[in-house]
Amino acid sequence: MDSGNVAWILASSALVCMMIPALALFYGGMVGSRRILNMMMMCFGGASLVAVLWALFGYSMAFGNSVGGLGLIGDVTEFPGMAQLLPADEGASIPVVLFAAFQLFFACVTTALVAGAAAGRMKFGAWMLFAGIWATIVYFPIAHWVFAFSSADGSVTGGWIANGIKAIDFAGGTAVHMNAGAAALALALVLGKSSGWPKVEHAKPHSRPLVLIGAGLLWVGWFGFNAGSALSAGQSASVVFLNTAVAASAGLLAWALVERLRRGAATSMGAASGLISALVAITPACGAVSPLGAVAIGAIAGAVCSLAIELKFRLGYDDSLDVVGVHLVGGILGTLLIGLFATDAAPNAVNGLFYGGGVALLGVQALATVTVLAYSFGITWILAKILDKTVGLRIKPEDEMRGIDLAAHSELAYLTDEDPVELGSPQRA
């Protein structure tokens, strides 16, 4: 095994893991002061549950040999408990068990992203049930479609998107961001609007510094997310690293410029959102484009997503933390723009329309986009409807108005002398 590659993927796995608390801070700052603990717990709780499911059967469903060779789902009986991955594979550049750990955090982050659409109004127990089932029937199959590559000798068959139509998704524009965005839209529609929406005074962002800190940590973690997906410490990871950096910067500037022209000021919330929207867009494209192409994709995402977040007001859905406007729209943009900006000088070695490659690649990218969106939205909507009719998704209106933290967790993030003593806490003098 290559010790340099092993060290890089170990570090990348830790960086992707850091994205979970980073997302919790990013989301937590965007909600009201009496919603922050619940928002952060949804991120930590959902991610932890998915990690356990990954060990039990999720890795098999995502990366097991494709059942019937159809490219739809991995064999759940192939790696139950992942004990089969423990013996060393002397022919591999990195241990398979390390690859499984790296991909585990992709599943965790994707599930946590969906939580942003349900901020402040979903029962915590219902969220945990939803997160576990959603990862099983939505994320694990789509991860198989996109991330599971067939072996060179044909002994292992992977997903239909990766091996059949050969769509390009270097690090998860379809499986992670579009998937989470479509699921967030479906969940938001079933949950319904927050009390008093769209003017929810008690739900306004309570800490913009937390949002910026979370966004900054997400940016750092994203280098592991994208460059780690090269699965080696070499040229490909280096190109992806650079593309990720310049795309994110272009997205921040583009969002700020649009805000300045439309609103008269460039805000900190806008800067953080522009950064994240560009990182979302460059995720599928980071191995397919040049640095200038990355700048273009980041800038387009920053500008377009700044407009897309207003769709929820025009169409009437309460996507509390703009998962749809940033992750769904950004993921679509990044995936489709590969068909325009891809260059064979980049690691993926394919030309898009602007580099003489014609429209074939754009068509392939569009097919992958439509399929993932349709499956994720449809299955998530059905799941959310079933859970709403059985266990119920919404908290009580009075708990929603006073803040979900005390009702769901018997805690408050910021206590005053007028607040009731928390359950399980020592009495205060």
Side-chain angles (χ1 to χ4, degrees):
M1 293 187 181
D2 188 307
S3 59
N5 292 343
V6 173
W8 170 236
I9 305 307
L10 282 169
S12 294
S13 300
L15 287 171
V16 181
C17 179
M18 187 185 70
M19 295 176 74
I20 299 167
L23 182 67
L25 288 170
F26 180 70
Y27 276 176
M30 294 174 70
V31 299
S33 61
R34 296 191 173 221
R35 292 180 166 196
I36 179 176
L37 294 181
N38 176 254
M39 189 70 260
M40 298 182 81
M41 281 292 290
M42 289 177 79
C43 292
F44 280 107
S48 298
L49 175 59
V50 171
V52 173
L53 297 180
W54 185 259
L56 294 175
F57 56 82
Y59 178 78
S60 282
M61 290 183 68
F63 291 100
N65 199 26
S66 188
V67 175
L70 299 176
L72 299 177
I73 192 70
D75 183 358
V76 73
T77 67
E78 191 168 354
F79 306 109
M82 298 199 294
Q84 301 83 352
L85 307 181
L86 299 183
D89 181 357
E90 298 301 331
S93 174
I94 63 171
V96 177
V97 70
L98 175 55
F99 173 76
F102 179 63
Q103 283 291 331
L104 175 152
F105 294 117
F106 278 60
C108 295
V109 170
T110 306
T111 305
L113 285 172
V114 181
R121 64 191 191 280
M122 186 173 185
K123 296 177 182 176
F124 184 67
W127 160 252
M128 293 296 289
L129 185 59
F130 170 88
I133 299 174
W134 183 85
T136 301
I137 65 176
V138 179
Y139 180 79
F140 297 159
I142 292 180
H144 182 76
W145 300 357
V146 176
F147 293 143
F149 288 89
S150 300
S151 61
D153 61 5
S155 60
V156 176
T157 54
W160 70 274
I161 288 180
N163 305 283
I165 65 173
K166 300 184 185 302
I168 294 174
D169 186 353
F170 196 88
T174 52
V176 176
H177 297 291
M178 275 195 286
N179 187 8
L185 177 59
L187 181 59
L189 290 174
V190 175
L191 267 174
K193 304 168 187 175
S194 299
S195 300
W197 189 88
K199 295 182 179 180
V200 188
E201 295 298 325
H202 60 277
K204 287 184 176 180
H206 85 284
S207 178
R208 287 166 173 79
L210 279 186
V211 174
L212 288 170
I213 291 170
L217 291 174
L218 282 170
W219 192 2
V220 175
W222 229 291
F223 290 113
F225 198 89
N226 285 359
S229 293
L231 299 180
S232 63
Q235 178 68 18
S236 292
S238 301
V239 171
V240 168
F241 199 102
L242 175 60
N243 284 346
T244 301
V246 297
S249 302
L252 185 152
L253 296 174
W255 190 304
L257 178 60
V258 170
E259 263 196 330
R260 179 67 177 82
L261 294 174
R262 299 185 70 218
R263 311 290 187 193
T267 68
S268 61
M269 290 284 288
S273 299
L275 180 75
I276 300 303
S277 64
L279 287 167
V280 169
I282 199 59
T283 294
C286 55
V289 301
S290 69
L292 286 180
V295 169
I297 289 174
I300 291 169
V304 173
C305 290
S306 70
L307 303 175
I309 61 171
E310 297 181 5
L311 288 174
K312 63 183 180 183
F313 301 114
R314 296 185 181 183
L315 301 179
Y317 61 89
D318 182 6
D319 172 26
S320 305
L321 305 185
D322 296 317
V323 186
V324 176
V326 172
H327 293 274
L328 177 58
V329 174
I332 291 172
L333 286 171
T335 301
L336 295 181
L337 288 174
I338 292 172
L340 303 180
F341 290 102
T343 171
D344 61 6
N348 284 124
V350 178
N351 281 325
L353 180 63
F354 293 167
Y355 289 82
V359 297
L361 179 58
L362 183 59
V364 168
Q365 298 300 112
L367 176 59
T369 296
V370 171
T371 306
V372 169
L373 291 179
Y375 181 83
S376 179
F377 179 86
I379 300 301
T380 304
W381 190 87
I382 293 170
L383 170 61
K385 273 292 187 182
I386 292 173
L387 292 179
D388 192 37
K389 296 296 183 182
T390 52
V391 301
L393 297 180
R394 289 289 289 261
I395 62 173
K396 297 177 181 178
E398 56 270 26
D399 291 333
E400 185 178 338
M401 292 301 295
R402 69 173 178 152
I404 193 173
D405 286 356
L406 195 59
H409 308 289
S410 298
E411 295 177 305
L412 289 172
Y414 313 104
L415 285 171
T416 68
D417 290 337
E418 288 74 33
D419 288 319
V421 176
E422 298 169 314
L423 296 179
S425 298
Q427 294 286 331
R428 290 175 292 164

